[in-house]
Amino acid sequence: MLTPKETLANEIYQALGCPEEPTKSALDSLIDPPKSADLGDLTFACFTLAKTLRKAPQAIASDLKAALERQNAGYQKIDAVGGYLNVTLSDKQKSKELYQIVAAGDNYGRSEIGAGKTAVLDFSSPNIAKPFHIGHLGSTAIGHSLQRIHKFCGYKTVSVNHLGDWGTQFGRLIVAYRRWGSKEAIEQGGVDALGEIYRRFYEEADKDPSLNDEAREAFAAMEAGDEESIRLWQWFKDLSLAEFKRTYALLDLDFDSWAGESFYNDKMSAVIDELKEKGLLTESDGAMVVDLSEEKMPPCIILKSDGSTIYATRDITAAIYRHNTYHFDKCIYVTDAGQSLHFRQWFAVIGKMGYDWADKLIHVPYGKLSINGARLASRTGNVILLRDLFADAIERVKQITLERNPSLEDIDAVARAVGVGAVVFHQLSTSKIKDISFDPEEALNFDGNTGPYVQYTYARTQSVLEKANLPLSAPETALSFCAQEQELFSVLTRFSSVVQKALAESEPSVIARYALELCQSYNRFYQNCPVLKAEGDLKSQRLNFCAATGTTLKNCLWLLGISAPRSI
Ligand code: ARG
């Protein structure tokens, strides 16, 4: 069944004489709910058509109004004002659309914008040997959400965890292990014990800088394939991965590819040869670099003076590999903003190599996260582990829930969903580029602009439906909407354009903020419009409001990578 928006797009398309340009879907994207509900339910902006049709926007709007009135599609009102065509749906059309949201369920808001296209998303990507700390929350949460947004919009997605599993840090770790570690201690203490000796390396190297040379040599041995070093490296990697996967499980997150930096070890020399052949490599202080002075950037180092490869060498190689393997239409990298120059540099190198897909590489940077909660002091020095951040939030939610709703079944599972959801929502509700400060009290406030508030509102919609215990259906006779219903209706019907905005801007916060707005609008409706006490068609219409809100909130939460428990 077509939505009123699709129906209107069809009607406009026909009124224009079914032209080649603009296409029906282009027209569809020009239709939105109007800024204010008293302008109607749908508005079509005529400005972009003015050029193609060689007519003033207001004249186009007036002509369309006349054509639509001739077609008599059953609208309540059609207005042409200031270059906009404003359409007010009839009560019948509106209650039908409301029910369509309910019927669409998990599919409500999906689109085919990305059909036939592939998006590779490189995110989370922690460094093995270093702790998985809160600095990676942004990449993990934003990347996970962007993956889901792309899927929802019809893209085929490939999520890649570009693990930092190669590099000089392993030289340090191997030296640290040989000096201060033992098999038993690491087996017992896992990643924490690794973190411990890694930290000790820095302390000791401050006093004795020759340790740094030793670490460089250890890494060189590893790069040369020394068996004992490789065995240690694999062991450290396995230990870390097992730990990371526990955190990913909390987030219901898995990756299609775990090809980390080490995966490109045997693929880099071909790329270095290619750079040489293309005349892009020049020597600078013993290192081999690609000059980027034309691009007004410092040179991109490819080989260090000791001949070893670096982060950028692996990123260039990985991009070429991914392009050959996945034929992506976009490849998105989510990292902190501190890495912006790195990405600009090597994206430019890909361009200089003559690859026309360089413009399909997209860096999505985000700001810094700081913590305002004393209880989060970490066992591994001054970094705060993501694992501890989640554990703390879960524990706090458990305490709150024990007070609020002691009879709740499965408190542990709910505390996990709400605690993790609170942390993720907090990260995603601010524009990603802003620095944010995480205050557990604030993020867990059930009445604030928080994840728990959204999850709780969703759970309330479900409990109303359960209490009513009636099958949902489109009401037989259409009733007109009261003010709160009209407002909620226009928020609900905006959902797909919200998703598309989030996609276009790579900005999950658009969805998070919309979810809050929907909750507020629903709560106003719920306070003013009795649902369970209503009768007949009014009751079924209001139940449809509860169900449509529940569906939309659940889809919002899914898009943010947050689960939606039915009761809290
Ligand atoms: N491992 C890096 C870090 O922890 C992030 C990697 C991002 N992805 C990439 N292809 N460079 O900062």
Side-chain angles (χ1 to χ4, degrees):
M1 227 194 320
L2 295 184
T3 62
K5 182 175 166 182
E6 288 161 340
T7 310
L8 180 63
N10 272 343
E11 288 161 357
I12 295 177
Y13 185 65
Q14 268 158 25
L16 293 174
C18 307
E20 254 174 52
E21 286 292 331
T23 59
K24 220 187 294 180
S25 62
L27 292 175
D28 196 89
S29 67
L30 297 173
I31 302 175
D32 266 313
K35 296 268 168 311
S36 118
D38 54 342
L39 292 175
D41 300 293
L42 293 170
T43 188
F44 174 73
C46 302
F47 304 94
T48 43
L49 290 188
K51 220 170 165 193
T52 351
L53 300 179
R54 295 164 188 270
K55 241 200 264 182
Q58 179 55 28
I60 301 174
S62 303
D63 290 355
L64 285 175
K65 171 178 153 76
L68 267 106
E69 276 167 351
R70 271 197 305 279
Q71 286 179 17
N72 190 15
Y75 296 115
Q76 181 168 316
K77 200 162 71 149
I78 305 174
D79 287 321
V81 206
Y84 289 97
L85 182 74
N86 294 334
V87 171
T88 307
L89 302 176
S90 68
D91 293 341
K92 195 161 164 210
Q93 287 169 320
K94 283 198 281 203
S95 26
K96 219 167 90 189
E97 185 177 14
L98 181 64
Y99 181 68
Q100 275 175 16
I101 299 178
V102 179
D106 293 350
N107 289 326
Y108 179 54
R110 276 184 200 268
S111 70
E112 292 300 319
I113 298 176
K117 293 188 191 153
T118 299
V120 173
L121 296 111
D122 173 322
F123 62 97
S124 194
S125 311
N127 296 324
I128 283 178
K130 291 190 198 167
F132 191 8
H133 58 85
I134 57 160
H136 287 104
L137 175 65
S139 178
T140 309
I142 296 167
H144 191 197
S145 174
L146 289 181
Q147 182 188 15
R148 289 188 170 186
I149 293 171
H150 279 82
K151 268 196 185 153
F152 207 65
C153 293
Y155 280 87
K156 176 176 183 274
T157 62
V158 182
S159 53
V160 185
N161 196 324
H162 189 76
L163 291 166
D165 62 356
W166 202 257
T168 35
Q169 73 265 33
F170 284 96
R172 286 181 219 120
L173 197 58
I174 287 175
V175 169
Y177 175 72
R178 288 191 177 134
R179 289 191 171 231
W180 313 295
S182 73
K183 191 158 186 284
E184 301 71 46
I186 302 292
E187 260 165 12
Q188 251 187 20
V191 268
D192 290 348
L194 280 182
E196 209 52 56
I197 56 171
Y198 190 70
R199 224 159 35 92
R200 176 138 182 218
F201 178 91
Y202 278 102
E203 276 166 27
E204 306 271 348
D206 261 353
K207 292 177 245 157
D208 174 10
S210 76
L211 279 175
N212 290 320
D213 299 324
E214 210 179 301
R216 251 191 300 279
E217 277 160 32
F219 178 57
M222 205 173 116
E223 285 222 285
D226 172 60
E227 262 180 45
E228 163 69 8
S229 313
I230 295 291
R231 206 180 48 73
L232 281 177
W233 165 78
Q234 187 66 50
W235 180 40
F236 297 155
K237 179 169 166 173
D238 292 345
L239 276 175
S240 310
L241 265 185
E243 162 80 15
F244 296 168
K245 285 189 178 175
R246 274 197 285 278
T247 300
Y248 292 136
L250 282 177
L251 293 162
D252 193 18
L253 170 58
D254 196 3
F255 288 86
D256 300 307
S257 162
W258 294 86
E261 295 190 34
S262 69
F263 179 77
Y264 301 99
N265 282 346
D266 60 355
K267 299 173 182 61
M268 280 184 286
S269 65
V271 173
I272 295 165
D273 289 346
E274 188 182 333
L275 284 164
K276 267 188 210 140
E277 273 157 30
K278 292 184 172 165
L280 293 170
L281 278 191
T282 48
E283 214 206 289
S284 162
D285 291 334
M288 297 305 276
V289 305
V290 176
D291 179 71
L292 296 174
S293 47
E294 262 175 36
E295 288 77 10
K296 300 199 170 44
M297 284 189 278
C300 182
I301 302 177
I302 303 291
L303 288 173
K304 288 200 282 196
S305 51
D306 63 4
S308 58
T309 59
I310 69 162
Y311 190 40
T313 329
R314 290 187 277 278
D315 260 332
I316 294 167
T317 309
I320 296 173
Y321 172 86
R322 289 175 193 171
H323 192 261
N324 291 338
T325 311
Y326 306 119
H327 314 287
F328 55 73
D329 296 279
K330 39 176 153 168
C331 184
I332 293 177
Y333 298 81
V334 190
T335 77
D336 63 274
Q339 299 193 31
S340 294
L341 177 62
H342 161 76
F343 283 96
R344 281 201 290 127
Q345 283 177 302
W346 76 258
F347 287 180
V349 174
I350 295 281
K352 279 184 169 307
M353 291 174 90
Y355 289 119
D356 60 1
W357 46 267
D359 60 352
K360 295 182 177 167
L361 302 169
I362 302 166
H363 181 223
V364 175
Y366 61 86
K368 282 199 180 51
L369 176 69
S370 54
I371 306 280
N372 277 341
R375 272 168 59 178
L376 281 163
S378 155
R379 275 163 270 166
T380 32
N382 49 12
V383 297
I384 293 169
L385 301 181
L386 203 46
R387 182 187 71 190
D388 293 342
L389 182 66
F390 285 133
D392 182 74
I394 294 171
E395 186 48 39
R396 285 173 191 256
V397 174
K398 194 169 167 184
Q399 293 314 323
I400 298 174
T401 312
L402 283 171
E403 279 164 36
R404 281 172 62 108
N405 191 356
S407 61
L408 184 72
E409 274 174 41
D410 218 355
I411 288 198
D412 285 321
V414 172
R416 199 164 54 232
V418 178
V420 172
V423 173
V424 172
F425 191 91
H426 183 269
Q427 170 77 47
L428 297 181
S429 57
T430 320
S431 301
K432 57 189 186 301
I433 199 66
K434 286 201 180 139
D435 289 346
I436 49 182
S437 141
F438 181 83
D439 174 351
E441 301 271 334
E442 185 195 311
L444 292 172
N445 180 353
F446 277 60
D447 301 316
N449 285 333
T450 63
Y453 171 61
V454 178
Q455 286 172 315
Y456 180 58
T457 307
Y458 167 74
R460 280 193 20 207
T461 63
Q462 300 309 292
S463 88
V464 175
L465 295 171
E466 241 162 68
K467 278 194 198 125
N469 194 21
L470 283 174
L472 297 164
S473 62
E476 293 290 326
T477 36
L479 304 164
S480 45
F481 292 172
C482 69
Q484 285 84 17
E485 289 171 326
Q486 178 59 41
E487 182 209 289
L488 179 55
F489 179 74
S490 51
V491 178
L492 284 167
T493 49
R494 241 179 46 224
F495 180 52
S496 55
S497 51
V498 166
V499 176
Q500 284 161 31
K501 184 167 189 250
L503 175 77
E505 296 174 5
S506 301
E507 184 63 91
S509 68
V510 170
I511 293 173
R513 280 199 298 266
Y514 168 80
L516 292 170
E517 187 188 338
L518 178 54
C519 288
Q520 280 147 10
S521 178
Y522 174 77
N523 287 325
R524 271 193 294 274
F525 153 81
Y526 197 73
Q527 267 160 29
N528 290 288
C529 312
V531 179
L532 294 170
K533 287 200 185 114
E535 279 173 23
D537 279 342
L538 184 61
K539 184 167 188 176
S540 54
Q541 182 153 295
R542 289 194 173 158
L543 284 172
N544 282 343
F545 270 110
C546 300
T549 304
T551 293
T552 310
L553 285 179
K554 187 171 171 221
N555 292 355
C556 286
L557 288 168
W558 185 83
L559 287 166
L560 297 172
I562 298 174
S563 59
R566 292 180 65 88
S567 43
I568 289 185

